Amino acid sequence: MAGVGGRSSRAAGKRGGGAASSSAAASACVYYATTGVLVALCVAGAYLLTSTSSASIAGPDDGDKAAAVTAYRHTTRSSFAYEVTREKAPPSPPREPEAEDGTLGKEDAGSEEDGGADQERGSAVAAAAVDDPHAKPDLDERVSGGEDSKSDAAAVDEDQSNERVRVAASEATAEEEEDATAATGADKEQETLDNDQEEEQQSHLQMPRATVEERNLDGGIEEESIARQRQSDEEERMSAGDEQPGTGILRREAQEDEAAERQSDEDRPDQEQTEEDRSSDQTLVEEDGRTLVEVESDPGQEDGGGDDKAAAESEHKEDTDGSGAGSVNHNVVDTLQGEGSAVGAEGDQSAWATQRDQSHREKDRRQEDAGDGNSTDGEEQHEWRTCNVKAGADYIPCLDNEKAVKKLRPENFRRYEHRERHCPDEGPTCLVALPSGYRRPVEWPKSRDRIWLSNVPHTKLVQVKGHQNWVKVSGQYLLFPGGGTQFIHGALHYIDFLQQSVRGVAWGKRTRVVLDVGCGVASFGGYLFERDVVTMSFAPKDEHEAQVQMALERGIPAISAVMGSKRLPFPSKAFDLVHCARCRVPWHADGGALLLELNRVLRPGGLFVWSATPVYQKLTDDVEIWKAMTALTKSMCWELVTIKKDRLNGVGAAFYRKPTSNECYESRGRQQPPMCSDDDDANAAWYVRLNACIHRVPTGAAERGARWPADWPRRVRAPPNWLNTSQVGVYGKAAPEDFVADYQHWRRVMDKSYLNGLGVDWSRVRNVMDMRAAYGGFAAALRDQKVWVMNVVNVDAPDTLPIIFDRGLFGMYHDWCESFSTYPRTYDLLHADHLFSKIKDRCAVLPVVVEVDRIVRPGGSIIVRDDSGLIGEVEKLLRSLHWDVRLTFSKNDNGVLFAEKSDWRPELVAEPT
């Protein structure tokens, strides 16, 4: 300002003392005007810089990425708080940001251009952040560039201010003859400029000094702290992989005040879906350039609901070995119309009976208050402990209930009731321990012949049955030569012997579903897979140590059950053939109640194969048993088709056929066993006591069991002939249409999602369970895989299990409020389709998840499809159990979860039970 002072002094000398006051007023006016111009220029430049940077993030050239970015809020104060936070963050190593045109922008340290250079740098940094989710702007470059711009702008502003002073001085010379009113006008103008300057400084905080001062005045420092904390949280989330795939940028929104900031943090979910994602039924969610999920329209909504906007949120975690799930193109949350409100306990009971209605067992369940155990929501976490039970690593809660067994009377033991299910009043919440040295199971088909001894560390059967080629020990393995008590030279020869004995057997065509009673280690069922036959094998948990556990470890279907005082958990007219090879069942006792139970589950026209010593030996006991058996089978109208002897194995087998009409029953002179009453439902099986009576054979063309199903594999695709259009299906359509829709639905889900989309290693999957099967569509969709599926129909669900058997699949009834009749660590994959939402009103979710943990092998997995709220609840429990939750996905109110079990077991031990 020295030049200004000199020129003003020379002008004052020419005019004398009167003009001095006028010159001083003019100088003050010019000074304030210059200051105002400088402030306005800085404000305009900073605002333009902020707007350009934000525009580059959501610019048209970014395409789909723009929709995934949360825009900054462009208030001057919040924008500045964000910039200050960025400047104070630790600088990252220098990098060359990618420009919008795809070329790399290079740092121009020697640039002396105006503030536009700074704007270009901001645009390049924003573009690079969109392209690389983990990119951070080069803070050093940004700060240094800003200082250069400020120095350039200061030089230009000084020249402009000098020019304005010269103009003001010339105007003062031209007006030297005016009176003292000029001073008064200058004073007013000065006052106006002062007011304008104060307003500019309060509304535009751009200069560094003014910024610091203003932040101290209006809480800007606290806002800066909030912004910094927000940045730190976002960076941690990005590094942990929790940022939603596809957003591709660190999100920051500086709020106007602290209350709005905190409210926003509380209301915003961890994963956000952009508006563009919500507006499309087919959305690709990408992470690191890899497609994770393709959401397709709901097949059940094609007639009108397909255009609804669906909000989706996805979380995907890669395999621990880094392989990940690979490329996914699947229908993750594909649901059938009416699936959420399928006909159930509240549905049309005249069309669909349930096992719960027919059960003779009245089990009192505690009426719990809302939130008392039926939910795991809240802050309290369950403290996991290892079960402290006598059965140890082989604990089956409903079969190892010693307290209940001690209450039985001697006559109960005679009917094998001590081997039946006796479930505790409350489902256990402890975790079953792993046997010492447990290893991941041998893969099928090698597992049929050998398993790890450390996984089933029991050798009693080796000593008792080794000479019959049941099982042997060889180093670290248990070996299974394929023999049995009746086929010591191998099961395949024996299987072929049976088919050659009776032409009607026709393995894999006419005969598809078999029941093996007293199965031992299930070699018979294991080798029937080679004939395209599925076998439900069962044996009790008795002195034949771990026989069913060995079968399941081998990859052969089996359950722990006994023919005692209650019906088997299967519907009537279910099996094409029933087999008993030295099964040690007293068929003729108690009025033939046990053989009559086989009559109930055997299909009309089906075969009962009895391979036992009374058939071919002449010992006294054998002769007596044969006579009793002959009398009983005649009274039941069973036809003795033939008796054949296997010369290689030195055994014989009797073949009986169940009648296909009621004529024989009506013509019996002595009605013993009696015919069952009309109110005795032959399909009722859950905790229903045995009744020594005969159910009538269906004869009407539209009745189930009146006709033999189509040969396999045609029967798996076509609806059973007895399903009629007047019957409403599970999902609300006519029953045959429902059947077809269910089959197509699961084939689509399997092809587009489960087989390739979830990261399941199907080469390691053998034993599969559908925990809530409807028509068996899930199992049917897997029939080309080297797996078998246990279809479980819940006791309070529509009784569709007869349909499952008629299509050549198998399963059983069960109540998931109780433990399943299997050993621990026996299934590779569980599938739970809307299971938890259906049972949560009857029992707590926690014990069911514990049962899942008991059943699944380490390294095994579960797929849960359910309401989004239940998905979150189950996910929380699985994470607390140290399961690896690999995928969660939601669309509308439905969700999918895929998780894998680890080897973790708690160190704490529960109280003895």
Side-chain angles (χ1 to χ4, degrees), residues 275-283 295 308-310 891:
E275 184 65 29
E276 180 178 337
D277 293 336
R278 290 193 296 267
S279 65
S280 173
D281 282 330
Q282 297 197 14
T283 303
V295 184
D308 293 343
K309 294 183 178 181
K891 178 182 179 183

Side-chain angles (χ1 to χ4, degrees), residues 258-584:
E258 180 183 359
E261 176 81 23
R262 292 179 178 175
Q263 185 65 32
S264 175
D265 287 343
E266 293 174 358
D267 295 342
R268 187 181 60 205
D270 291 338
Q271 299 175 339
E272 299 178 359
Q273 187 75 7
T274 65
E275 184 65 29
E276 180 178 337
D277 293 336
R278 290 193 296 267
S279 65
S280 173
D281 282 330
Q282 297 197 14
T283 303
L284 293 179
V285 182
E286 299 182 355
E287 181 177 20
D288 297 334
R290 175 166 48 86
T291 303
L292 297 182
V293 174
E294 179 177 351
V295 184
E296 297 187 358
S297 58
D298 188 343
Q301 305 289 340
E302 291 178 357
D303 55 352
D307 294 331
D308 293 343
K309 294 183 178 181
E313 54 185 14
S314 172
E315 175 185 354
H316 185 278
K317 295 181 67 179
E318 295 189 0
D319 298 334
T320 55
D321 60 359
S323 60
S327 180
V328 182
N329 182 8
H330 58 278
N331 201 351
V332 176
V333 198
D334 187 355
T335 58
L336 282 166
Q337 186 176 18
E339 183 176 32
S341 58
V343 179
E346 301 83 8
D348 183 4
Q349 295 306 312
S350 61
W352 296 102
T354 67
Q355 288 297 313
R356 190 181 182 191
D357 295 335
Q358 301 297 331
S359 176
H360 291 183
R361 180 186 187 224
E362 299 295 336
K363 181 177 180 180
D364 295 329
R365 300 193 181 279
R366 295 187 308 164
Q367 299 297 325
E368 299 176 346
D369 296 333
D372 184 14
N374 282 352
S375 175
T376 57
D377 292 339
E379 298 299 328
E380 183 177 356
Q381 298 240 353
H382 184 77
E383 184 180 53
W384 298 113
R385 293 176 178 266
T386 302
C387 297
N388 188 357
V389 291
K390 183 178 180 180
D394 298 333
Y395 180 45
I396 306 176
C398 291
L399 297 180
D400 292 316
N401 190 348
E402 295 183 354
K403 180 179 179 182
V405 171
K406 289 179 179 179
K407 297 180 180 179
L408 297 177
R409 299 177 180 178
E411 58 268 25
N412 301 128
F413 284 84
R414 186 182 63 83
R415 293 193 296 265
Y416 294 93
E417 291 186 45
H418 60 295
R419 304 294 186 195
E420 294 180 332
R421 291 172 58 86
H422 300 280
C423 298
D425 294 335
E426 296 183 2
T429 57
C430 60
L431 305 182
V432 178
L434 294 177
S436 178
Y438 182 84
R439 306 175 68 169
R440 297 296 169 90
V442 178
E443 296 179 13
W444 180 268
K446 294 180 180 178
S447 62
R448 187 186 66 180
D449 302 327
R450 68 173 186 265
I451 63 175
W452 296 112
L453 175 60
S454 58
N455 289 6
V456 188
H458 302 291
T459 59
K460 184 177 180 179
L461 276 180
V462 176
Q463 304 168 10
V464 177
K465 296 292 185 180
H467 67 287
Q468 296 175 347
N469 282 335
W470 277 37
V471 59
K472 298 179 182 295
V473 175
S474 177
Q476 302 181 71
Y477 293 100
L478 287 174
L479 302 183
F480 300 88
T485 304
Q486 297 298 98
F487 41 91
I488 60 176
H489 294 291
L492 274 180
H493 168 80
Y494 176 76
I495 289 170
D496 292 339
F497 155 72
L498 297 180
Q499 180 168 255
Q500 294 167 3
S501 300
V502 178
R503 294 180 57 186
V505 172
W507 297 124
K509 294 182 179 180
R510 175 180 172 87
T511 301
R512 164 63 182 175
V513 186
V514 171
L515 178 67
D516 189 17
V517 182
C519 62
V521 293
S523 289
F524 178 70
Y527 281 89
L528 271 174
F529 278 114
E530 294 194 14
R531 301 295 183 261
D532 214 1
V533 174
V534 291
T535 307
M536 175 70 76
S537 303
F538 76 91
K541 189 179 184 182
D542 57 10
E543 63 274 8
H544 286 170
E545 189 179 44
Q547 53 188 340
V548 169
Q549 186 179 21
M550 291 181 182
L552 288 163
E553 186 72 14
R554 297 174 67 189
I556 303 172
I559 61 171
S560 291
V562 66
M563 300 205 69
S565 65
K566 298 180 179 64
R567 290 178 177 177
L568 297 172
F570 312 118
S572 67
K573 306 177 287 291
F575 295 96
D576 304 330
L577 183 146
V578 178
H579 175 257
C580 164
R582 295 282 291 272
C583 53
R584 301 195 309 165

